[in-house]
Amino acid sequence: MQYISTRGKAPALGFEDTMLSGLARDGGLYVPETIPTLSTADIRAMHGLSYEEIAFRVMRPFVGDAFTDEVFADLITKAYAGFGHDARAPLVQLGNGHFLLELFHGPTLAFKDFAMQLIGQMFQEALSRSGKRVTIVGATSGDTGSAAIEAFRGLDAVDVFILYPHDRISEVQRRQMTTPTESNVHAMALDGDFDDCQARLKDMFNDFDFRDDVRLAGVNSINWGRVLAQVVYYFSSAVSLGAPDRKISYSVPTGNFGDIFAGYIAKRMGLPIDRLVVATNQNDILHRCLSTGGYVTDRVTPSISPSMDIQVSSNFERALFDAYDRDGNAVAQLMNELKAGGFHVSQGAMDVLRDHYDSGRVSEDETLATIRQAQDHMGELLCPHSAIGVAVAEAQRDPNVPMITLATAHPAKFPDAVEKASGLRPPLPDRMADLFTREERVTRVPNDLTQLETFIKDRIAS
Ligand SMILES: Cc1ncc(COP(=O)(O)O)c(C=O)c1O
Ligand SMILES: N[C@@H](CCOP(=O)(O)O)C(=O)O
C-alpha cells in the first residue's frame, strides 16, 4: 500500500514512512493511493467480534508490510487495554432511531485516544526497530494534545511538544497537558488561536532544515494513522445496528475534519453509510462552504465547545482532493488561494462533496439547550461538542435511516458549560481526582516560528 500527497508533488511512501513523516514535503496530506474495499460478506462477518478484532480487519489492508499480522494484532490489543469500557466504543440509544456512540472511555476522555493510543504503540514498535529518535510537535485545541501526551509520556525515543492556544481551552484540558511530570513532555501556551498553532506546526514541517534536524514527526490528523484508526468505530457501530444490510447515517461534531473524513473512508471501503453530517459550532467555515461553495476564513471566535474552535480545517484538503478527482495541482492552487483568505469550490467538486456530506451549525444557546434537553428527556449528560452533533442530527435526520451521533468527549472535560446548561457538574473519574491539585508546568510562547523552533531545539539539546 502506497500513500500519495494531496498536492501531487511529494514522493509516494509506504505506511510506516507516512506515519513517521507527518506532512508531505510538498505541504500536502498523505492519502492511500487506492482505498481498499471490504465485501458485504466481510462486513457481515464482523457481527459479534470484539472491537479489537474489527480494528484488525479494517486497518490491516492499509498497513502493508509495516507490521506482521501477529505484531499488528498485539499493538491493537495493547492500545485499547486501558479503555474504561469493555465495548471500547459503546452505542446507547438516545431516542427512536437516534443513537450516541460514546467515544470518551479512553484514558484522556476524548475520541482522540482511539487513534493516539494505537499510534503510540505503532511509533514505539517502529522506533525500537530503527533505533531512531523523533520530535513530535502537535497543535491542539485541547484534546489532541492531552491524548498525545498520554500516549508518549516517558518514552525514551520521543520528545513531545504541544502547542495550545493560551486561555482558549478548558481548565481540565489544560491541566491534562501541564501536569504530567515526565521530562519528555513540553506544554506550550501560544499567544494566538488554534489556527495559529496549526499554521506554525505546518510551517515547521515546511522548514526542511528544522524538520530534518529534529526529526520532526506529527500526531495531528495530518498523520494518516490518526484518520485510519478512527475508521474502525464507524464499522463497529454500523455493524451493531445491522450493517451491511441496513444503511446508517452519522452526525459528527467537526473542526479539523479528521473524524468525519474517517467516516468517508469507511463509506468508500464499502460500509453502507447514507449521510455524513458535519456539525459545527459558530466557527462554521465548513457549514458555510458546504452550503455556498465559498471556503472563506474568518478569525476564530471562542466558544463553549473549544475543541471545535477552528477555521482552517486541515483535513478538508483530503476531501477536496477526492472531490477534484485527485488532481494535486488543483488542490495546491486552492491552498495557495487559502493563504490569501479563501477560495471557491467548483460546481463539479461541490456535487461530489454533497453526495456524501450534509452540514449544520449550532449556536451557543442551542448547544446549551441541547445539553439541557438531553439530560432532561434522555438521561444523557453531553459535552458541548457532542451536543452540537445531537442538535444537528435531530434537525436533519431521516426517520427511516438510523442516525448515530459521535459523542466525542466526556462531559467532565467541560464542567462549566455542562453545569451552566444542566445544573449538574460532572465529576472526573477517580483516577483523575487530584488533577486540580497537581503542579502545572507550561511555557508561554509567542506566535513566532523562529522563537518556537529555537525553544524546541534548546529543550531537545538540554
Ligand atoms: C471533543 C471534540 N469534538 C470534536 C472535534 C472535532 O473533530 P475533528 O477535528 O476531527 O473534526 C474535536 C477536535 O478534533 C474534539 O476534540
Ligand atoms: N480538536 C482538536 C484539534 C486538532 O485536531 P487533529 O484531529 O488534527 O489533531 C484538538 O482537540 O486538539
Side-chain angles (χ1 to χ4, degrees):
M1 165 66 74
Q2 290 288 102
Y3 290 84
I4 56 172
S5 165
T6 49
R7 301 197 192 169
K9 297 246 180 317
L13 299 177
F15 180 79
E16 183 172 321
D17 289 333
T18 301
M19 178 185 76
L20 291 174
S21 62
L23 201 67
R25 284 178 101 88
D26 60 2
L29 301 173
Y30 275 109
V31 290
E33 192 165 31
T34 53
I35 297 176
T37 53
L38 297 174
S39 67
T40 51
D42 293 334
I43 299 171
R44 204 171 288 120
M46 291 177 185
H47 278 281
L49 297 187
S50 68
Y51 187 86
E52 285 82 346
E53 287 167 318
I54 294 175
F56 181 86
R57 291 180 184 209
V58 170
M59 292 190 285
R60 188 75 193 91
F62 291 91
V63 170
D65 59 4
F67 308 107
T68 64
D69 284 0
E70 200 183 358
V71 168
F72 191 48
D74 185 49
L75 299 179
I76 292 172
T77 303
K78 287 195 249 176
Y80 300 114
F83 276 52
H85 198 292
D86 286 346
R88 312 309 182 213
L91 201 57
V92 300
Q93 186 153 13
L94 269 188
N96 198 9
H98 189 181
F99 300 82
L100 197 69
L101 184 60
E102 292 184 351
L103 298 174
F104 49 69
H105 295 285
T108 69
L109 310 179
F111 77 97
K112 308 286 179 176
D113 290 320
F114 277 89
M116 209 64 85
Q117 285 293 313
L118 182 62
I119 288 210
Q121 294 294 334
M122 293 195 292
F123 264 64
Q124 278 185 69
E125 174 68 22
L127 294 175
S128 73
R129 278 192 316 226
S130 68
K132 291 184 176 149
R133 282 188 64 79
V134 292
T135 302
I136 290 174
V137 183
T140 189
S141 53
D143 291 323
T144 291
S146 43
I149 287 171
E150 185 62 30
F152 291 98
R153 60 197 284 181
L155 296 189
D156 284 340
V158 175
D159 271 295
V160 52
F161 293 84
I162 298 295
L163 294 165
Y164 71 82
H166 177 65
D167 256 356
R168 287 173 179 245
I169 60 176
S170 82
E171 187 174 357
V172 173
Q173 289 177 313
R174 190 191 74 232
R175 285 180 170 274
Q176 283 182 309
M177 293 188 278
T178 58
T179 59
T181 53
E182 289 81 358
S183 59
N184 72 329
V185 170
H186 313 272
M188 300 158 77
L190 184 131
D191 287 320
D193 56 32
F194 170 76
D195 285 352
D196 296 317
C197 297
Q198 182 157 256
R200 294 300 75 75
L201 172 63
K202 290 193 175 181
D203 290 346
M204 288 180 208
F205 273 108
N206 289 324
D207 174 350
F208 295 155
D209 288 342
F210 175 79
R211 176 179 182 156
D212 296 338
D213 190 18
V214 304
R215 291 189 52 83
L216 185 62
V219 293
N220 278 96
S221 52
I222 288 169
N223 190 319
W224 173 256
R226 280 278 315 282
V227 176
L228 175 59
Q230 292 169 193
V231 176
V232 175
Y233 44 70
Y234 286 91
F235 275 91
S236 68
S237 57
V239 162
S240 75
L241 287 186
D245 302 304
R246 197 182 187 197
K247 281 194 167 191
I248 313 285
S249 290
Y250 287 86
S251 172
V252 186
T254 296
N256 232 4
F257 210 82
D259 214 7
I260 197 154
F261 191 74
Y264 164 80
I265 295 295
K267 184 174 179 179
R268 292 284 310 274
M269 289 179 74
L271 193 67
I273 292 179
D274 187 24
R275 305 304 301 164
L276 286 163
V277 187
V278 174
T280 78
N281 67 17
Q282 58 196 351
N283 296 293
D284 61 350
I285 187 167
L286 290 165
H287 174 56
R288 282 185 280 121
C289 180
L290 289 165
S291 311
T292 67
Y295 190 88
V296 182
T297 54
D298 202 350
R299 288 310 294 179
V300 170
T301 309
S303 77
I304 55 169
S305 45
S307 307
M308 284 158 53
D309 289 347
I310 298 174
Q311 287 281 4
V312 180
S313 184
S314 183
N315 288 284
F316 197 51
E317 178 167 344
R318 287 185 165 120
L320 290 168
F321 184 58
D322 277 4
Y324 278 84
D325 210 12
R326 302 206 137 198
D327 178 348
N329 290 331
V331 172
Q333 168 68 28
L334 295 178
M335 293 303 132
N336 269 337
E337 289 174 33
L338 183 59
K339 285 189 200 140
F343 54 80
H344 203 85
V345 182
S346 70
Q347 191 54 52
M350 280 310 296
D351 291 344
V352 177
L353 290 171
R354 287 186 180 131
D355 263 356
H356 302 286
Y357 303 105
D358 292 323
S359 67
R361 172 205 206 265
V362 180
S363 70
E364 298 286 270
D365 284 346
E366 288 163 335
T367 307
L368 291 168
T370 305
I371 295 174
R372 194 158 43 244
Q373 283 156 15
Q375 171 58 29
D376 290 351
H377 303 305
M378 305 161 189
E380 188 74 31
L381 201 53
L382 299 172
C383 92
H385 312 79
S386 312
I388 287 167
V390 167
V392 174
E394 283 297 321
Q396 300 201 4
R397 73 194 174 92
D398 173 347
N400 299 313
V401 180
M403 170 66 88
I404 296 177
T405 294
L406 271 48
T408 48
H410 193 287
K413 288 192 99 165
F414 308 94
D416 295 340
V418 173
E419 185 173 26
K420 184 174 175 196
S422 67
L424 299 173
R425 195 165 181 87
L428 286 167
D430 287 349
R431 66 187 158 78
M432 291 167 68
D434 66 343
L435 188 68
F436 285 85
T437 57
R438 293 183 205 155
E439 196 180 329
E440 293 193 75
R441 196 165 52 90
V442 57
T443 307
R444 184 92 177 260
V445 289
N447 180 15
D448 178 273
L449 180 65
T450 309
Q451 292 190 54
L452 294 172
E453 290 182 343
T454 304
F455 175 87
I456 290 169
K457 280 193 197 171
D458 287 351
R459 284 295 164 102
I460 295 171
S462 66

